Each structure stands twice: as structure tokens, then as C-alpha cells.
Amino acid sequence: MNLFDYLRGQFPLDRERGVVVNPDGDQLSYRWLGERSAVFADAMEREAVAESSVVAVQVDKCPDFLALYLAILRSGRVFLPLNPTYTAAEVEYFLKDAHVGLLVCQPERAAEMQGVVKRAGNAHLLSLGTRGDGTLAEGAGRAIAQDRSPAGGGLVKDESSSASSNAAAPRDDDQPAVLLYTSGTTGKPKGAMLSHGNVRAMIDGLHESWGWRSDDVLLHALPLFHIHGLFVAATTALRAGATMILLPRFDAEVVLEYLPRSTVFMGVPTMYHRLAREERMTRERCSRIRLFACGSAPLSVPDFAAFQERSGCTILERYGMTETGMLTSNPLVGVRKPGSVGIPMPGVEVMLADQATLNLAAEGEVGEIWVRGPNVFTGYLDRPEANEDAFVDGWFRTGDLGRRDADGYYSIVGRARDLVISGGLNVYPAEVEWVLDSVEGVEESAIIGLPDDDLGERVTAVIVRSHPEVSAAAITQAARAQLAPYKCPRQIEFVSSLPRNAMGKVDKAQLRRSFEKI
Ligand code: MLC
Ligand code: AMP
């Protein structure tokens, strides 16, 4: 079943109910969302964007982003969201790798993206701004400006008036709905294909486990281009027919302002770390909140405790990944253990595999987390070898190392993969090393994550120079030119050589140990 049809079937019967409350107080209704998505679907049709093609969206967070997401689903195309801070070079890679049929970019980057689209093989290019502007919205009419719900009204067209746009394209559960890029140790991002059925399984599991209700108000401060903000937060809220306060980005001050009106908040550990340090984060302010959920990176026990002390609320930590959606969660009702990611989500099977033998790890021992279930993605796009490595007898290897306690709760104790998680954003060392190694005067580089109170891990470059005069500033400048800012090293260290293990691979664990001591 097309995920859009499934979601629409869960929308409140009273379509005038608010789906999004903007920070400026404007409310947009479920009726608006249905109609706006139909209008965008029609616009893609008019642009002759091929059916089933991948549509890349590099647009700032706003209500129209959600409408475009639904438009892509309902028209049977595949949604590929991209971080707005990606450079032109990064976007070009995705367009080529995913054979993108349409790129929707921010209006102010349209000129820059014209060249990118051409180099990538002439995908269509449209733009969409946060105020209903841009070439995609032009044909569609500025519906945002015209919808002043709760009464609604004044929209450019009624959803039921267009048979073509009202019907969602028929899709089977295993057909692709969303393509999300993630990486392995190779450094080249791979497109993880999530089907209509995968996403539905994930949001149904969350709906049930976290007791979603149509009168929930989600305070949404996460980006919409990752599964956390897109599926765990926004799509599950749509599944419940709930309302979202859609903040353009996380800002602790603004979050504090909207907490009293909200019932659910989700964040990465950095957000909780920052909120726990705010004087205005009081029990009274959180009195309506029924759920503070956290994930994407490990939540430290001190941050868990500090937040509890201030807010009187116990954070519910959960664990998941792009390829699989949510895997485990602490319970809504029951004990939430600090430092633990809880028990398997409904329908998800989890096992711990001994890394050497690939058999079940002994009870109480650390093993690689392997998972199975309807939520697990269908594979990486055009990467037969990666798919071969990723699956064993139908189990997906997460690359995370975990332990299970006597109560069946899991905790993540490390990663088998080379990965830095900074503020909940994944940075793949090989991708950054590749850029740094090409800087004149750099002989070789190694990217590691060092502990950071705020970001969890800080991207750190350890460099061997071939020319002694190459400076940290020059390296930073080169990184900035090619990589999104969050991937750029915040700390640069120079060494005479990199430690290597018996296999000749850089020993990153040793590097981390030596710089952690400093
Ligand atoms: C922003 N910056 C970062 C950064 N985010 N640097 C390192 N790591 C990050 N995560 C940089 C900016 O480029 C800028 O640099 C400077 O920090 C300030 O920018 P900002 O926009 O003010 O940043 P800030 O508000 O501080 O953002 C931090 C943050 C944000 C934690 C709020 O990164 C965020 O929203 N993270 C959530 C990521 C997320 O959704 N992850 C889910 C992945 S899904 P400069 O130099 O240009 O000024 C997943 C699966 C699962 O993992 O289980 O959920
Ligand atoms: P991504 O590829 O961006 O989806 O990131 C997924 C990875 O984030 C997982 O494989 C874990 O390494 C990490 N992760 C997500 N949630 C948690 C958590 N609660 N604790 C520790 N690590 C987590």
C-alpha cells in the first residue's frame, strides 16, 4: 500500500484540525496538507518528471517541506532529502549516484544548482522557499499565505476536485518510498532504500510503543532530512493525526518558550545537554509534556540525570539507524534505565552475534547487534557487494556493539564501524580523510572522534605533513570548500606518523587514546 494512502487514512476526520503550528502562530490544517501535496504532485506531473523517479529535496525546514514529502510519496516517486548545508560537490554526488529525476532546491541556490544538475545528467530543477516561494510553488499558488486555519479556506483548489491528484499511485509494500544516504567504512555514501512497508512498520511500532494520540502536540526541533526528524517525529505524528509545532531549527531558548504548549519532544543528546543547562528549564514548564524521547547518539548518564533533576522528567532513550528505523526503546510505562536503549520494538527481532564466529554471542557478552523485521530496509541502491556484506541469513548487521542485561535491556557499548557521531550527525571518517589527503602539503590524515561535552564526539583530524609549512587554517579552508560544515574538523593535530596495526591499517583506537589523554 502507498504510505501516503495509509497516512491519509489516519488523518483526523475533521480535516480542519491543525497539522502544523508555525512559530509565528499560524496554523495549517490537515486539509491544507492534503491539498498542498496534491498541488505539488500535479506540478511534478506538469514538469514531466518521470514516474517512479527519485526526487532530491534540499530545502529548508518548513510546512511546505512536509507537503512536498507527501506529494512525492503519493505520486509514487522516491523521496531523497538532503541536508541544506551540503556543498554543490556533495549534492552532485547524490544526483549522479541516485539517478535523480528532479532536484528541488532553495530558491537562493537555484543558479548554483543549475550547473550541478547539468553535470549530473540534466535532472529537472525546481525550487521551493520557506514562504511558499520558488518555481515549484509558483504554479501551485501560495497556499500557505491563504490558509489561515482553524477555519482554513481560501485554498487554490479542493483536493477532491482533481481526480488525478487525489488518487495516490498504487505501490506495493516492498516498493521504494524513500532513499536516504548513509555510509560505511568506504567513505562513499550509499543510498539506503526504504520501502512503503518499511516506513509503515516503523511508524506503527512507534505509535503503539509510545502511546501516540491525536491530541498530542509534538514540539519539532529536529532537522527533517534524517529518519529521526522525518519518521520518528513527523511521520509518526501524522500517523496519529497529531499537531506539530514546527521550529526551523533547534534553539534552546525557543524550545523553552514552546514547551508549555507541547506534549511530546524529541531530540539528540546534544539538545538535552543544552536544555539541562538552562535556568528556565523547570518542572512547571514541562508539566504538559508526557514524553521526552532521545536517540541518534548515546545519551550520557550525567546528562540523563541532570535533565531529570531540572525537569522532573525521565528521558526515554531509544536506538535505531537509517537502514532499519527504530530497533529498541525504553518503555513508555516501566523502568527507563540510564545508559540503556531498552528492549526491542514491536515486530523487531534483535540478536547479538559473536564478531569472530558470527554465531550467537554468549549470554552477557558483547556482540554485534543483528536485526530482522519488516522495518529493515530493502538494500543499498546499486551496491551488490555492500548488500552481500550487510546481510547474513536475512539478518542485517548494524555494525553496533551491544550487550543485553538480565531484564532483556540492550546497551550500546561501541561501534564496529569507523564512524564519528557529532551532535547526532554521522561523519564518515573516510569521506573527510579523502578530502584532507588531497590538500597540498598533507601526506596522510586520520579522522577520529574525541569526547565532547556538547556534541558527544568532536571531529578531530590527525595529520602527517609532507610540507612543514601547511597550516591548520589551510586545511580547514580546503575542508570547508568541499564538505558540509558539520563534517569539518573542529580540532587539528599534527603528528610525524600514524600508528598502524598488524594489518597496516591506521590504529584509530590508539590515536583516540593518545589524544584523549592530552
Ligand atoms: C551544526 N554544526 C555542527 C553540528 N551542527 N558541528 C558539528 N556537529 C554538529 N552536529 C555547526 C554549524 O555548521 C555551524 O558551524 C555551527 O555548528 C553552529 O551552527 P548551528 O546551526 O547554530 O548549530 P547548532 O544549532 O548548534 O546545531 C547543533 C544541533 C544540530 C545538535 C542542534 O546539529 C542538530 O539539529 N542535530 C541533530 C541531527 C539529527 O537529526 N540526527 C539524526 C540522524 S538519524 P559554522 O562553523 O558554519 O558556524 C539517526 C538515526 C537515529 O541517527 O537513531 O535517530
Ligand atoms: P544513522 O546511520 O545516521 O542512522 O545513525 C545510526 C547510528 O547511530 C547507529 O548505528 C548507532 O551507532 C547510533 N545510535 C542511534 N541511536 C543511538 C543511541 N540511543 N545510543 C547510541 N548510539 C545510537
Side-chain angles (χ1 to χ4, degrees):
M1 181 183 196
N2 188 314
L3 176 64
F4 173 80
D5 273 337
Y6 181 66
L7 290 172
R8 183 165 52 178
Q10 314 291 331
F11 285 179
L13 287 179
D14 175 7
R15 293 285 209 263
E16 302 307 334
R17 294 260 322 258
V19 62
V20 169
V21 179
N22 279 321
D24 63 10
D26 260 9
Q27 182 169 294
L28 298 164
S29 65
Y30 271 90
R31 186 166 68 86
W32 170 84
L33 185 63
E35 291 170 347
R36 187 70 166 162
S37 70
V39 165
F40 285 160
D42 279 354
M44 286 186 280
E45 217 52 53
R46 271 199 307 278
E47 190 74 8
V49 178
E51 237 180 76
S52 305
S53 61
V54 176
V55 180
V57 175
Q58 193 188 31
V59 162
D60 282 327
K61 186 177 174 186
C62 62
D64 263 351
F65 183 108
L66 289 176
L68 178 56
Y69 161 51
L70 294 189
I72 294 166
L73 292 179
R74 74 186 292 165
S75 67
R77 297 183 175 88
V78 180
F79 180 61
L80 163 54
L82 296 175
N83 185 330
T85 69
Y86 283 153
T87 62
E90 288 169 314
V91 173
E92 188 175 330
Y93 172 81
F94 297 120
L95 297 194
K96 284 180 178 157
D97 192 76
H99 318 291
V100 164
L102 166 67
L103 168 66
V104 183
C105 70
Q106 294 151 317
E108 60 277 17
R109 292 189 76 184
E112 180 191 8
M113 290 302 157
Q114 210 109 45
V116 173
V117 157
K118 221 175 239 164
R119 283 195 297 280
N122 273 323
H124 295 259
L125 178 68
L126 291 171
S127 62
L128 183 64
T130 54
R131 291 189 200 86
D133 51 327
T135 52
L136 176 67
E138 260 162 34
R142 299 192 172 211
I144 281 196
Q146 295 174 35
D147 183 50
R148 299 273 175 214
S149 296
L155 277 171
V156 275
K157 70 192 279 196
D158 182 334
E159 194 180 3
S160 59
S161 69
S162 159
S164 69
S165 44
N166 199 23
R171 286 293 177 269
D172 293 334
D173 278 359
D174 56 4
Q175 287 186 285
V178 178
L179 186 65
L180 291 169
Y181 272 80
T182 175
S183 202
T185 47
T186 58
K188 284 283 174 212
K190 304 185 284 284
M193 293 182 290
L194 290 155
S195 68
H196 290 262
N198 290 150
V199 180
R200 196 175 71 230
M202 173 184 358
I203 61 173
D204 278 352
L206 285 162
H207 184 81
E208 183 187 328
S209 306
W210 293 359
W212 272 92
R213 299 173 359 187
S214 62
D215 60 355
D216 268 323
V217 178
L218 168 72
L219 181 52
H220 195 299
L222 286 155
L224 279 170
F225 47 80
H226 283 304
I227 64 161
H228 196 165
L230 181 65
F231 298 144
V232 188
T235 311
T236 310
L238 294 178
R239 156 79 179 79
T243 303
M244 290 174 247
I245 300 175
L246 206 64
L247 304 181
R249 54 184 288 277
F250 175 81
D251 178 330
E253 288 282 313
V254 181
V255 167
L256 287 172
E257 195 186 320
Y258 286 96
L259 276 179
R261 295 214 241 147
S262 314
T263 64
V264 177
F265 177 83
M266 294 182 197
V268 297
T270 301
M271 296 177 181
Y272 286 105
H273 176 84
R274 292 182 187 177
L275 287 172
R277 270 141 200 82
E278 292 285 339
E279 290 285 324
R280 290 165 59 217
M281 184 74 207
T282 58
R283 286 167 190 243
E284 298 73 61
R285 200 171 276 281
C286 300
S287 60
R288 255 196 95 192
I289 295 274
R290 68 165 189 86
L291 175 64
F292 277 111
C294 182
S296 304
L299 175 69
S300 75
V301 175
D303 280 343
F304 175 94
F307 190 82
Q308 194 169 42
E309 171 78 26
R310 247 194 205 290
S311 66
C313 300
T314 305
I315 296 173
L316 177 153
E317 187 176 1
R318 55 66 181 173
Y319 155 68
M321 69 190 294
T322 301
E323 290 92 330
T324 63
M326 292 304 101
L327 295 168
T328 66
S329 169
N330 274 280
L332 185 68
V333 180
V335 182
R336 298 181 192 169
K337 297 189 184 186
S340 160
V341 293
I343 55 178
M345 297 286 295
V348 177
E349 289 177 85
V350 179
M351 72 169 248
L352 296 175
D354 183 288
Q355 278 198 287
T357 63
L358 301 189
N359 291 325
L360 257 186
E363 201 51 46
E365 290 301 310
V366 170
E368 186 185 350
I369 299 175
W370 290 14
V371 296
R372 206 159 60 171
N375 51 305
V376 176
F377 76 139
T378 54
Y380 298 109
L381 179 71
D382 297 337
R383 299 288 201 289
E385 279 176 22
N387 288 328
E388 190 114 318
D389 291 348
F391 290 94
V392 178
D393 297 335
W395 291 89
F396 174 69
R397 306 177 60 168
T398 63
D400 291 311
L401 304 178
R403 199 195 288 279
R404 186 177 48 238
D405 72 12
D407 300 324
Y409 282 57
Y410 286 82
S411 46
I412 312 294
V413 300
R415 287 175 218 130
R417 294 169 295 156
D418 193 10
L419 169 68
V420 180
I421 306 185
S422 166
L425 290 174
N426 288 5
V427 179
Y428 303 100
E431 185 186 1
V432 185
E433 288 158 6
W434 190 81
V435 169
L436 300 190
D437 289 352
S438 66
V439 176
E440 198 165 322
V442 170
E443 188 174 306
E444 61 172 343
S445 63
I447 293 291
I448 52 172
L450 290 181
D452 187 283
D453 283 346
D454 182 42
L455 295 170
E457 290 182 310
R458 182 169 65 256
V459 176
T460 303
V462 186
I463 308 268
V464 180
R465 286 184 277 208
S466 51
H467 298 301
E469 65 276 15
V470 68
S471 65
I475 291 168
T476 301
Q477 198 184 6
R480 285 274 180 166
Q482 293 182 66
L483 298 167
Y486 72 90
K487 299 178 189 170
C488 296
R490 293 193 160 214
Q491 183 177 338
I492 295 182
E493 301 286 347
F494 294 107
V495 294
S496 54
S497 65
L498 295 173
R500 292 198 133 76
N501 62 20
M503 314 273 288
K505 280 181 72 173
V506 174
D507 188 344
K508 295 210 169 168
Q510 187 184 326
L511 266 184
R512 267 191 299 273
R513 277 195 300 275
S514 46
F515 285 104
E516 271 169 28
K517 281 193 212 124
I518 293 171

